[in-house]
């Protein structure tokens, strides 16, 4: 008799509202994924629950059949992380199911590897605003078929991002935002600018963690805030504007992007 696991994954750490329902059965080699991934900006909070209803309807399942929840724990937008956390906590309490927090940077690594399975080392780097980068390094273990953390989540200037000591793929949007200011950019074997936090990758990673027993209760599902300060002072904004104005016009355009 086959056993079915139904995991709902949510990510609102970026300007996208991303929801995925993974239905995994011992009778199937691969999970079925039902996805809603939409550019919503600040409207993610109003779109996420309708998206949840839609993926369950598409899968012809009832919300009560949910086995577990996974969410993009961070780093990312403060407001977005709170949105995903609040929705997941509420659903987990109501359904009495466990929660799997998943790093948004690890989700970038997973997304990159899904497009290029030969990848084994990933430097994931995301724009953190305020002229900084969230980044981490991951290594794919072929023996355990799992990711190993080489460098944990770090917040630095783009110039201070550490260059991996092995051939690597650069994943995330930092390459587009900062260009050559991103120290690791010229050293990357490949660049995957589309490898961004996505509920599909979070669902895949969430299933692995769920099977390994790496879950938390609803009340322990908390966002990962790397930075406590969320806004620049007037003086800092003025200094940044002066710095940007002294850059070549093409570089300034990249920075504003």
């Amino acid at each position: 008799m086959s056993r079915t696991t139904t995991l709902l994954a949510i990510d609102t750490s970026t300007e996208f509202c991303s929801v995925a329902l993974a239905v995994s059965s011992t009778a199937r080699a691969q999970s079925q994924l039902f996805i809603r991934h939409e550019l919503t900006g600040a409207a993610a909070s109003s779109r996420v629950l309708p998206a949840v209803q839609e993926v369950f309807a598409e899968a012809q399942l009832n919300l009560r059949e949910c086995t577990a929840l996974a969410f993009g724990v961070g780093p990312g937008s403060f407001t977005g992380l709170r949105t995903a956390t609040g929705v997941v906590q509420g659903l987990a309490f109501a359904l009495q199911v466990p929660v799997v927090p998943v790093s948004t940077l690890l989700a970038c690594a997973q997304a990159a590897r899904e497009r290029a399975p030969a990848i084994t080392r990933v430097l994931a780097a995301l724009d953190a605003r305020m002229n900084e980068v969230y980044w981490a390094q991951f290594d794919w273990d072929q023996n355990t078929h799992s990711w190993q953390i080489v460098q944990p989540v770090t917040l630095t200037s783009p110039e201070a991002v550490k260059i991996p000591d092995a051939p690597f793929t650069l994943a995330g949007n930092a390459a587009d935002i900062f260009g050559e200011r991103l120290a690791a950019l010229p050293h990357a074997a490949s660049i995957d600018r589309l490898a961004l936090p996505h509920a599909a990758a979070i669902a895949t990673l969430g299933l692995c963690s769920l099977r390994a027993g790496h879950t938390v209760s609803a009340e322990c599902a908390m966002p990962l805030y790397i930075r406590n300060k969320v806004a620049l002072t007037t003086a800092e904004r003025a200094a940044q504007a002066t710095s940007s104005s002294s850059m070549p016009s093409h570089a300034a355009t990249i920075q504003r992007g």
Side-chain angles (χ1 to χ4, degrees), residues 14-63:
T14 67
E15 64 271 25
F16 286 86
C17 175
S18 195
V19 173
L21 180 64
V23 181
S24 176
S25 170
T26 53
R28 289 177 178 271
Q30 290 186 326
S31 302
Q32 289 180 287
L33 282 174
F34 304 88
I35 301 167
R36 295 293 184 276
H37 185 76
E38 303 169 16
L39 181 62
T40 57
S45 58
S46 62
R47 179 66 187 119
V48 62
L49 286 176
V52 169
Q53 294 174 331
E54 289 170 16
V55 293
F56 272 94
E58 185 179 344
Q60 298 183 332
L61 293 172
N62 188 286
L63 184 59

Coordinates of all heavy atoms in Angstrom, one line a residue, residues 14-63:
T14 N 10.7 37.5 -1.6 CA 11.0 38.5 -2.6 C 9.8 39.2 -3.1 O 8.7 39.1 -2.4 CB 11.7 37.8 -3.8 OG1 10.7 36.9 -4.5 CG2 12.9 36.9 -3.4
E15 N 9.8 39.8 -4.3 CA 8.6 40.4 -4.8 C 7.6 39.4 -5.4 O 6.5 39.8 -5.9 CB 9.0 41.5 -5.8 CG 9.6 40.9 -7.1 CD 11.1 40.8 -7.0 OE1 11.7 40.7 -5.9 OE2 11.8 40.8 -8.1
F16 N 7.9 38.1 -5.3 CA 7.0 37.1 -5.8 C 6.3 36.5 -4.7 O 6.8 36.3 -3.6 CB 7.8 36.0 -6.6 CG 8.3 36.5 -7.9 CD1 9.5 37.1 -8.0 CD2 7.6 36.2 -9.1 CE1 10.0 37.5 -9.3 CE2 8.0 36.6 -10.3 CZ 9.2 37.3 -10.4
C17 N 5.0 36.1 -5.0 CA 4.2 35.3 -4.1 C 4.3 33.9 -4.7 O 3.8 33.6 -5.8 CB 2.8 35.7 -4.0 SG 1.7 34.6 -3.1
S18 N 5.0 33.0 -4.0 CA 5.3 31.6 -4.5 C 4.7 30.6 -3.6 O 5.0 30.5 -2.4 CB 6.8 31.5 -4.6 OG 7.2 30.4 -5.4
V19 N 3.9 29.7 -4.2 CA 3.2 28.6 -3.5 C 3.3 27.4 -4.3 O 3.1 27.4 -5.5 CB 1.7 29.0 -3.2 CG1 1.0 27.8 -2.6 CG2 1.6 30.2 -2.3
A20 N 3.7 26.3 -3.6 CA 3.8 25.0 -4.3 C 3.2 23.9 -3.4 O 3.5 23.9 -2.2 CB 5.2 24.7 -4.7
L21 N 2.5 23.0 -4.0 CA 2.0 21.8 -3.3 C 2.7 20.6 -3.8 O 2.6 20.3 -5.0 CB 0.5 21.7 -3.4 CG -0.2 20.5 -2.7 CD1 0.0 20.6 -1.2 CD2 -1.6 20.4 -3.1
A22 N 3.5 19.9 -3.0 CA 4.2 18.7 -3.4 C 3.4 17.4 -2.9 O 3.2 17.3 -1.7 CB 5.6 18.7 -2.9
V23 N 3.0 16.6 -3.8 CA 2.3 15.3 -3.5 C 3.3 14.2 -3.8 O 3.6 13.9 -4.9 CB 1.0 15.2 -4.2 CG1 0.3 13.9 -3.8 CG2 0.1 16.4 -4.0
S24 N 3.8 13.5 -2.7 CA 4.8 12.5 -2.9 C 4.2 11.2 -2.4 O 3.7 11.1 -1.3 CB 6.0 12.9 -2.1 OG 7.0 11.8 -2.1
S25 N 4.4 10.2 -3.2 CA 3.9 8.8 -2.9 C 5.0 7.8 -3.1 O 5.8 7.9 -4.0 CB 2.7 8.5 -3.8 OG 2.3 7.1 -3.7
T26 N 5.0 6.8 -2.2 CA 6.0 5.7 -2.4 C 5.8 5.0 -3.7 O 6.7 4.2 -4.1 CB 5.9 4.8 -1.2 OG1 4.5 4.3 -1.1 CG2 6.3 5.4 0.1
A27 N 4.6 5.1 -4.3 CA 4.4 4.4 -5.6 C 4.9 5.2 -6.8 O 4.9 4.7 -7.9 CB 2.9 4.2 -5.7
R28 N 5.3 6.5 -6.5 CA 5.8 7.4 -7.6 C 7.3 7.6 -7.4 O 7.8 7.9 -6.3 CB 5.0 8.7 -7.6 CG 3.6 8.6 -8.1 CD 2.9 9.9 -8.0 NE 1.5 9.9 -8.4 CZ 1.2 10.1 -9.7 NH1 2.1 10.4 -10.6 NH2 -0.1 10.0 -10.0
A29 N 8.0 7.7 -8.6 CA 9.4 8.0 -8.5 C 9.6 9.5 -8.2 O 10.6 9.8 -7.5 CB 10.1 7.7 -9.8
Q30 N 8.8 10.4 -8.7 CA 8.9 11.8 -8.4 C 7.6 12.4 -7.9 O 6.5 11.8 -8.1 CB 9.3 12.5 -9.7 CG 10.7 12.2 -10.3 CD 11.0 13.0 -11.5 OE1 10.1 13.4 -12.3 NE2 12.3 13.4 -11.6
S31 N 7.8 13.5 -7.1 CA 6.6 14.2 -6.6 C 5.9 14.9 -7.6 O 6.5 15.4 -8.6 CB 7.1 15.1 -5.5 OG 7.8 14.5 -4.5
Q32 N 4.6 15.0 -7.4 CA 3.8 15.9 -8.3 C 3.8 17.3 -7.7 O 3.7 17.4 -6.4 CB 2.3 15.4 -8.4 CG 2.1 14.2 -9.2 CD 0.7 13.8 -9.2 OE1 0.1 13.3 -8.2 NE2 0.0 14.0 -10.3
L33 N 4.0 18.3 -8.5 CA 4.0 19.7 -8.0 C 2.9 20.5 -8.6 O 2.7 20.5 -9.9 CB 5.4 20.3 -8.3 CG 6.6 19.9 -7.4 CD1 7.9 20.6 -8.0 CD2 6.4 20.4 -6.0
F34 N 2.2 21.3 -7.8 CA 1.2 22.2 -8.2 C 1.6 23.6 -7.8 O 1.8 23.8 -6.6 CB -0.2 21.8 -7.7 CG -0.5 20.4 -8.0 CD1 -0.2 19.3 -7.2 CD2 -1.3 20.1 -9.1 CE1 -0.5 18.0 -7.5 CE2 -1.6 18.8 -9.5 CZ -1.2 17.7 -8.7
I35 N 1.8 24.5 -8.7 CA 2.5 25.7 -8.4 C 1.7 27.0 -8.8 O 1.1 27.0 -9.8 CB 3.9 25.7 -9.2 CG1 4.7 24.5 -8.7 CG2 4.6 27.0 -8.9 CD1 5.9 24.3 -9.7
R36 N 1.9 28.0 -7.9 CA 1.5 29.4 -8.3 C 2.7 30.3 -7.9 O 3.1 30.3 -6.8 CB 0.2 29.8 -7.5 CG -1.0 29.1 -7.8 CD -1.5 29.3 -9.2 NE -2.8 28.7 -9.5 CZ -2.9 27.4 -9.9 NH1 -1.8 26.6 -10.0 NH2 -4.1 26.9 -10.2
H37 N 3.2 30.9 -8.9 CA 4.4 31.8 -8.7 C 4.1 33.1 -9.5 O 4.2 33.1 -10.7 CB 5.7 31.1 -9.2 CG 6.9 31.8 -8.9 ND1 7.5 31.9 -7.7 CD2 7.7 32.6 -9.8 CE1 8.6 32.6 -7.8 NE2 8.8 33.0 -9.0
E38 N 3.8 34.1 -8.7 CA 3.4 35.4 -9.4 C 4.1 36.6 -8.8 O 4.3 36.7 -7.6 CB 1.9 35.5 -9.1 CG 1.0 34.4 -9.6 CD -0.4 34.4 -9.2 OE1 -0.8 35.5 -8.7 OE2 -1.1 33.4 -9.2
L39 N 4.4 37.5 -9.7 CA 4.9 38.8 -9.3 C 3.8 39.7 -8.7 O 3.0 40.2 -9.4 CB 5.6 39.5 -10.5 CG 6.3 40.8 -10.3 CD1 7.4 40.7 -9.3 CD2 6.7 41.4 -11.6
T40 N 3.9 39.8 -7.4 CA 2.8 40.6 -6.7 C 3.3 41.8 -6.0 O 2.5 42.6 -5.6 CB 2.1 39.6 -5.6 OG1 3.1 39.2 -4.7 CG2 1.4 38.5 -6.3
G41 N 4.6 41.9 -5.8 CA 5.1 43.0 -5.0 C 4.6 43.0 -3.6 O 4.5 41.9 -2.9
A42 N 4.1 44.1 -3.1 CA 3.7 44.2 -1.7 C 2.3 43.6 -1.5 O 1.8 43.4 -0.4 CB 3.6 45.7 -1.3
A43 N 1.7 43.1 -2.6 CA 0.3 42.5 -2.5 C 0.4 41.0 -2.1 O -0.6 40.3 -2.2 CB -0.4 42.7 -3.7
A44 N 1.6 40.5 -1.8 CA 1.7 39.0 -1.6 C 0.8 38.6 -0.4 O 0.2 37.5 -0.5 CB 3.2 38.7 -1.3
S45 N 0.6 39.4 0.6 CA -0.2 39.0 1.7 C -1.6 38.7 1.4 O -2.3 37.9 2.0 CB -0.1 40.1 2.8 OG -0.5 41.3 2.3
S46 N -2.1 39.4 0.3 CA -3.5 39.2 -0.1 C -3.7 38.1 -1.1 O -4.8 37.6 -1.4 CB -4.1 40.5 -0.6 OG -3.4 40.9 -1.8
R47 N -2.6 37.7 -1.7 CA -2.6 36.7 -2.7 C -2.3 35.3 -2.2 O -2.7 34.3 -2.8 CB -1.6 37.1 -3.8 CG -1.5 36.1 -5.0 CD -2.8 36.0 -5.8 NE -2.8 35.0 -6.8 CZ -3.6 34.0 -6.9 NH1 -4.5 33.8 -6.0 NH2 -3.5 33.1 -7.8
V48 N -1.5 35.2 -1.1 CA -1.0 33.9 -0.7 C -2.1 32.8 -0.4 O -2.0 31.7 -0.8 CB 0.0 34.0 0.4 CG1 -0.6 34.6 1.7 CG2 0.7 32.7 0.7
L49 N -3.1 33.2 0.4 CA -4.1 32.2 0.8 C -5.0 31.8 -0.4 O -5.3 30.6 -0.6 CB -5.0 32.8 1.9 CG -4.3 32.8 3.3 CD1 -5.2 33.4 4.3 CD2 -3.9 31.4 3.7
P50 N -5.4 32.7 -1.3 CA -6.1 32.3 -2.5 C -5.2 31.3 -3.4 O -5.7 30.3 -3.9 CB -6.3 33.5 -3.3 CG -6.5 34.6 -2.2 CD -5.4 34.2 -1.2
A51 N -3.9 31.6 -3.4 CA -3.0 30.7 -4.2 C -2.9 29.3 -3.5 O -2.9 28.3 -4.2 CB -1.6 31.3 -4.2
V52 N -2.9 29.2 -2.2 CA -3.0 28.0 -1.5 C -4.2 27.2 -1.8 O -4.2 26.0 -2.1 CB -2.9 28.2 0.1 CG1 -3.2 26.9 0.8 CG2 -1.6 28.7 0.5
Q53 N -5.4 27.9 -1.8 CA -6.6 27.2 -2.2 C -6.6 26.7 -3.6 O -7.1 25.6 -3.9 CB -7.8 28.2 -2.0 CG -8.0 28.6 -0.6 CD -9.1 29.7 -0.5 OE1 -9.3 30.5 -1.4 NE2 -9.8 29.7 0.7
E54 N -6.0 27.4 -4.5 CA -5.9 27.0 -5.9 C -5.1 25.8 -6.1 O -5.4 24.9 -6.9 CB -5.3 28.2 -6.8 CG -6.3 29.4 -6.9 CD -5.6 30.6 -7.5 OE1 -4.5 30.5 -8.1 OE2 -6.2 31.7 -7.4
V55 N -3.9 25.7 -5.5 CA -3.1 24.5 -5.7 C -3.7 23.2 -5.1 O -3.6 22.1 -5.7 CB -1.6 24.7 -5.1 CG1 -0.9 25.7 -5.9 CG2 -1.6 25.0 -3.6
F56 N -4.4 23.4 -4.0 CA -5.1 22.2 -3.5 C -6.3 21.8 -4.4 O -6.5 20.6 -4.6 CB -5.7 22.5 -2.1 CG -4.7 22.2 -1.0 CD1 -3.8 23.2 -0.5 CD2 -4.6 20.9 -0.5 CE1 -2.9 22.9 0.5 CE2 -3.6 20.6 0.5 CZ -2.8 21.6 1.0
A57 N -7.0 22.8 -4.9 CA -8.1 22.5 -5.9 C -7.6 21.8 -7.1 O -8.1 20.9 -7.6 CB -8.8 23.8 -6.2
E58 N -6.4 22.3 -7.6 CA -5.8 21.7 -8.8 C -5.4 20.3 -8.6 O -5.5 19.4 -9.5 CB -4.6 22.5 -9.3 CG -4.0 22.1 -10.6 CD -2.8 22.9 -11.0 OE1 -2.6 24.0 -10.5 OE2 -2.1 22.4 -11.9
A59 N -4.9 20.0 -7.4 CA -4.5 18.6 -7.0 C -5.7 17.8 -6.6 O -5.5 16.6 -6.3 CB -3.5 18.7 -5.9
Q60 N -6.9 18.4 -6.5 CA -8.1 17.7 -6.1 C -7.9 17.1 -4.7 O -8.3 15.9 -4.4 CB -8.5 16.6 -7.1 CG -8.8 17.1 -8.5 CD -9.2 16.1 -9.5 OE1 -8.8 14.9 -9.4 NE2 -10.0 16.5 -10.4
L61 N -7.3 17.9 -3.8 CA -7.1 17.5 -2.5 C -7.8 18.6 -1.5 O -8.0 19.7 -1.9 CB -5.6 17.4 -2.1 CG -4.9 16.3 -2.8 CD1 -3.4 16.5 -2.6 CD2 -5.3 14.9 -2.3
N62 N -8.0 18.2 -0.3 CA -8.5 19.0 0.7 C -7.4 19.5 1.6 O -6.4 18.8 1.8 CB -9.6 18.3 1.6 CG -10.3 19.2 2.5 OD1 -9.7 19.6 3.6 ND2 -11.5 19.5 2.2
L63 N -7.5 20.7 2.1 CA -6.4 21.3 2.9 C -6.1 20.4 4.1 O -5.0 20.3 4.6 CB -6.8 22.7 3.4 CG -5.8 23.5 4.2 CD1 -4.5 23.7 3.4 CD2 -6.4 24.8 4.6

